[in-house]
Amino acid sequence: MHTDAVKWTSSGAVYLLDQTLLPDETAYLEVDTIDAMVEAIRALRVRGAPLIGVAASMGIAAAANRMAVDGSLPGEKTAALSWLESACDTMARARPTAVNLAWAVNRLRSAVVERLSTVNDDDTAEVMVRTLRREAQRMWDEDAAMCSAMATAGAVLLPAASSVMTHCNTGMLATGGIGTALGVIRMAHEQGRVKEVYACEARPLRQGSRLTAWELARLDIPCTVVVDSAAATVMAQGRVNAVILGADRIAANGDVANKIGTQNLAIIAKEYGIPFYVAAPTSTFDLDAASGVAIPIEERPADEVATAEGVKVYNPAFDVTPAHLISGIITDRGVIEPPYGESIRRLFD
Amino acid sequence: MHTDAVKWTSSGAVYLLDQTLLPDETAYLEVDTIDAMVEAIRALRVRGAPLIGVAASMGIAAAANRMAVDGSLPGEKTAALSWLESACDTMARARPTAVNLAWAVNRLRSAVVERLSTVNDDDTAEVMVRTLRREAQRMWDEDAAMCSAMATAGAVLLPAASSVMTHCNTGMLATGGIGTALGVIRMAHEQGRVKEVYACEARPLRQGSRLTAWELARLDIPCTVVVDSAAATVMAQGRVNAVILGADRIAANGDVANKIGTQNLAIIAKEYGIPFYVAAPTSTFDLDAASGVAIPIEERPADEVATAEGVKVYNPAFDVTPAHLISGIITDRGVIEPPYGESIRRLFD
């Protein structure tokens, strides 16, 4: 069964499935302010690189809509754009690693600036609200389409009746569509190419055992959860034919920032000669980052990892997998292969 | 501050520090039956390969003592030995992977059989109780001495002001002394060779973040906890000079069974050229196991890893690290190096 992680309410607010409560509870929360959306993104109520871009855009549209209704959205063009500028900046700073967030709000801002350039002050508020809503919806629709395109491009990489390992969550809870890596897996399962999935737990916040397992159960795709530390055992025992997971940012040389533990899996997969695939839409590439070194890595609060009193915790939420460990990157424009510097350049030509 | 994980009570029972409650609560439980000790070992109230050998032996001694006091220990020699035989078998089956458990109860049984061979029926109960207690105490003392010997042999491997990574718990909570790997780290810290420790969490039961962090805090050794998935990040950033951890069973060819995740760390350490050491007393070697393939791997209950309803969990508690990934094995008889087939043979010559 498909579940939307975000929805519009009839009044133009955003309904968010609160992912921190899954799999025990399915509860939506209504968001129509910038602050509430920033809180939801920071607290990982909504998460997944592509989805936070979509959700942030929808949040800005919902906030503008509410303000227009209660009369607090500036009618004068310069003031309205100044509000939008500030809203976009605040949203973009909510989380640092996934480039899709900055990419989405920049696109949203540009769309409004362009549209407003030909509009009188009288129409500013109305046109801004309409443009924000339309552009946010467009990004959502495009993200869904990119998911389908990735699934089509990636599924054929997997031999019949494969068993695959994945990490974190990259499905309908992480995107506006069927998912990145999990979308590939879903389509490959429909084609008889995937018979089972090993989902790594993904400590500390357990997006694998909580979210991916929940999604796969709803889709009737056989899933076995393992702790992250069991990866070498599972691979050494020949239980998986491929590893496939998502990305939060891909540098121009093919280095991939993704959920902490991705780098572990890539190294272990290499040791056992298992293909290691990354699935990500073109909105995840950051050509301004020459390599992984340029990607900011979010450190999350220490209390996500409980320990004894007075003991320090180092809690990076992401790691950077060097390009040389990656067998292929599945994008909405096809699968690219090493050398990535070149294949990524061609992707954006 | 040193803490004993096991103690004798004045009445001859065993006091166990219930490690499932750490670090939040420090509570001892009194054990004087076979069933209670088996439950404590299975539930990991007492754990660590060397310590469960000692604790099982103390448990058998405590049970015999209680039975002698209440008159239920058979006075007739054949019946007494039959009780012991059954007690030892039950205890040995409590957990399958750590060979120290079987090693300890076999030694306990042999000591009693030998001692009773020259004793009349009249004295059987008293001599059995005394022999069990003495032999259990001897194994405890020897284990403490082996810890010290390992620490002396291993500390010198670490360069001054090293930062080391460890996994699971191998300290005073896992042995009858200062520990295996953590004993080495403790002595190396006293010698200025270790300045800080990265403790991996060790999911699912978090012996790293709960127990190792607690021990290191008590010993005033700087400790930083990371999730198991952060190992590659920490190593890639050059934060650690060596990995050092324990073992539950070492095969004749040097393959090492240890806490799940050890194999991950060994592969990642190799990728970054970081020395990977195992510390274990000679009681951990199993020369009957030609290689890791012969080592039984305990699968723990699925509910240790929470997930969505209807989703399977594969939860092996240990993995097997191939000998070729191990830089050196620190034993109470010195440090051995590859080729292990040969160096292990010489160790037991």
Side-chain angles (χ1 to χ4, degrees):
Chain A
M1 192 186 341
H2 192 85
T3 305
D4 281 324
V6 289
K7 303 178 192 177
W8 297 109
T9 71
S10 55
S11 66
V14 182
Y15 246 6
L16 284 184
L17 179 58
D18 186 345
Q19 299 190 28
T20 62
L21 306 177
L22 287 174
D24 303 322
E25 202 180 318
T26 309
Y28 281 83
L29 82 170
E30 192 170 333
V31 171
D32 64 359
T33 68
I34 302 299
D35 286 352
M37 185 58 83
V38 166
E39 191 280 336
I41 291 172
R42 286 223 170 106
L44 278 55
R45 301 187 200 290
V46 58
R47 36 136 315 272
L51 186 60
I52 60 176
V54 171
S57 304
M58 290 172 74
I60 293 171
N65 177 66
R66 187 194 49 74
M67 291 168 72
V69 169
D70 72 18
S72 63
L73 189 68
E76 193 268 320
K77 202 189 287 183
T78 313
L81 284 173
S82 162
W83 172 83
L84 179 64
E85 188 72 21
S86 156
C88 287
D89 284 352
T90 305
M91 207 63 97
R93 279 194 308 268
R95 295 190 70 196
T97 301
V99 75
N100 316 60
L101 181 55
W103 173 88
V105 298
N106 282 338
R107 179 170 150 179
L108 197 69
R109 179 166 30 201
S110 302
V112 172
V113 168
E114 192 186 326
R115 183 71 190 81
L116 284 192
S117 64
T118 59
V119 164
N120 296 329
D121 266 6
D122 283 358
D123 300 326
T124 294
E126 194 209 319
V127 170
M128 180 185 260
V129 168
R130 207 161 3 106
T131 307
L132 286 170
R133 161 89 183 222
R134 195 182 52 209
E135 194 65 20
Q137 181 63 48
R138 197 174 276 168
M139 282 191 266
W140 183 0
D141 294 341
E142 286 176 12
D143 191 58
M146 287 196 287
C147 287
S148 301
M150 276 182 273
T152 304
V156 296
L157 294 172
L158 302 169
S162 291
S163 180
V164 298
M165 175 173 278
T166 192
H167 191 48
C168 198
N169 172 267
T170 59
M172 53 198 175
L173 294 172
T175 64
I178 59 170
T180 56
L182 218 51
V184 173
I185 289 170
R186 184 167 163 177
M187 188 171 288
H189 179 257
E190 283 166 13
Q191 298 173 353
R193 296 173 183 277
V194 161
K195 70 174 197 303
E196 65 174 332
V197 179
Y198 280 88
C200 292
E201 182 182 40
R203 280 284 292 159
L205 297 178
R206 308 192 297 113
Q207 291 91 339
S209 55
R210 289 194 304 110
L211 308 181
T212 294
W214 180 84
E215 281 202 30
L216 291 174
R218 287 171 78 85
L219 297 169
D220 281 326
I221 300 175
C223 171
T224 300
V225 166
V226 292
V227 294
D228 305 318
S229 272
T233 288
V234 169
M235 292 196 221
Q237 290 173 350
R239 287 174 183 249
V240 299
N241 305 98
V243 178
I244 172 167
L245 36 67
D248 287 78
R249 194 184 297 220
I250 302 177
N253 73 340
D255 289 352
V256 167
N258 189 48
K259 178 56 51 199
I260 190 79
T262 300
Q263 193 180 355
N264 284 22
L265 296 179
I267 294 166
I268 298 166
K270 186 186 83 170
E271 176 77 9
Y272 294 107
I274 294 169
F276 185 89
Y277 299 114
V278 171
T282 38
S283 55
T284 301
F285 287 78
D286 178 5
L287 301 188
D288 292 336
S291 76
V293 175
I295 301 177
I297 297 296
E298 177 180 8
E299 280 189 41
R300 303 272 308 166
D303 63 10
E304 287 181 356
V305 186
T307 183
E309 216 184 301
V311 173
K312 276 190 301 187
V313 170
Y314 172 50
N315 186 25
F318 303 94
D319 59 23
V320 175
T321 299
H324 72 89
L325 295 173
I326 300 167
S327 313
I329 303 178
I330 301 159
T331 81
D332 47 290
R333 298 182 195 159
V335 179
I336 60 171
E337 288 180 344
Y340 290 111
E342 199 181 303
S343 54
I344 291 173
R345 224 172 13 250
R346 261 186 281 120
L347 199 63
F348 290 92
D349 261 357
Chain B
M1 192 186 340
H2 192 84
T3 305
D4 281 324
V6 290
K7 302 179 193 178
W8 297 108
T9 71
S10 56
S11 66
V14 182
Y15 246 6
L16 285 184
L17 179 58
D18 186 346
Q19 299 190 28
T20 62
L21 305 177
L22 286 174
D24 304 323
E25 203 181 316
T26 309
Y28 281 84
L29 82 169
E30 193 171 332
V31 171
D32 63 359
T33 67
I34 302 298
D35 287 352
M37 185 58 83
V38 167
E39 190 280 335
I41 291 172
R42 286 223 170 107
L44 277 56
R45 302 187 199 290
V46 57
R47 25 90 24 225
L51 186 60
I52 59 175
V54 171
S57 305
M58 291 172 73
I60 294 171
N65 177 65
R66 187 194 49 76
M67 290 168 72
V69 169
D70 72 18
S72 64
L73 189 67
E76 194 268 321
K77 202 189 289 184
T78 313
L81 284 173
S82 162
W83 172 83
L84 179 64
E85 188 72 21
S86 156
C88 287
D89 285 352
T90 304
M91 208 63 96
R93 280 195 305 267
R95 293 190 72 195
T97 302
V99 74
N100 316 60
L101 181 55
W103 173 88
V105 299
N106 283 339
R107 179 170 150 179
L108 197 69
R109 179 165 31 199
S110 301
V112 172
V113 167
E114 192 187 325
R115 183 71 188 82
L116 284 193
S117 65
T118 59
V119 164
N120 296 329
D121 267 6
D122 283 358
D123 299 326
T124 294
E126 195 209 318
V127 171
M128 181 185 258
V129 168
R130 207 161 1 107
T131 307
L132 287 170
R133 162 88 182 220
R134 196 182 52 209
E135 195 64 20
Q137 182 63 49
R138 196 174 277 168
M139 282 192 266
W140 183 0
D141 295 342
E142 286 175 13
D143 191 58
M146 289 196 287
C147 287
S148 301
M150 276 182 274
T152 304
V156 296
L157 294 172
L158 302 169
S162 291
S163 180
V164 298
M165 175 173 277
T166 191
H167 191 49
C168 197
N169 173 267
T170 58
M172 54 198 175
L173 294 172
T175 64
I178 60 170
T180 56
L182 219 50
V184 173
I185 289 170
R186 185 168 162 176
M187 187 170 290
H189 178 257
E190 283 166 12
Q191 297 173 353
R193 296 173 184 275
V194 161
K195 70 174 197 304
E196 66 175 331
V197 179
Y198 280 87
C200 293
E201 182 181 40
R203 279 285 291 161
L205 297 177
R206 307 191 298 114
Q207 290 92 338
S209 56
R210 289 194 303 111
L211 309 181
T212 295
W214 180 84
E215 281 201 30
L216 292 173
R218 288 172 77 84
L219 296 169
D220 282 325
I221 300 175
C223 171
T224 300
V225 166
V226 292
V227 295
D228 305 318
S229 272
T233 288
V234 169
M235 292 196 220
Q237 290 173 349
R239 288 174 182 248
V240 299
N241 306 97
V243 178
I244 172 166
L245 36 68
D248 288 78
R249 192 183 298 218
I250 300 176
N253 72 340
D255 289 352
V256 167
N258 190 48
K259 179 55 54 199
I260 189 79
T262 301
Q263 192 180 354
N264 284 23
L265 296 178
I267 293 166
I268 297 166
K270 185 186 85 171
E271 175 77 8
Y272 294 108
I274 295 169
F276 185 89
Y277 299 114
V278 170
T282 38
S283 56
T284 301
F285 287 79
D286 178 5
L287 302 188
D288 292 336
S291 77
V293 175
I295 301 177
I297 297 297
E298 177 181 7
E299 280 189 42
R300 304 273 308 167
D303 63 11
E304 287 181 358
V305 186
T307 183
E309 216 184 301
V311 173
K312 278 190 299 187
V313 170
Y314 172 50
N315 186 26
F318 303 94
D319 59 24
V320 175
T321 299
H324 71 89
L325 295 174
I326 300 167
S327 313
I329 303 177
I330 302 159
T331 81
D332 46 289
R333 299 182 194 159
V335 178
I336 60 171
E337 289 180 344
Y340 290 111
E342 199 181 302
S343 55
I344 291 173
R345 225 172 12 251
R346 262 185 280 120
L347 199 63
F348 291 93
D349 260 358

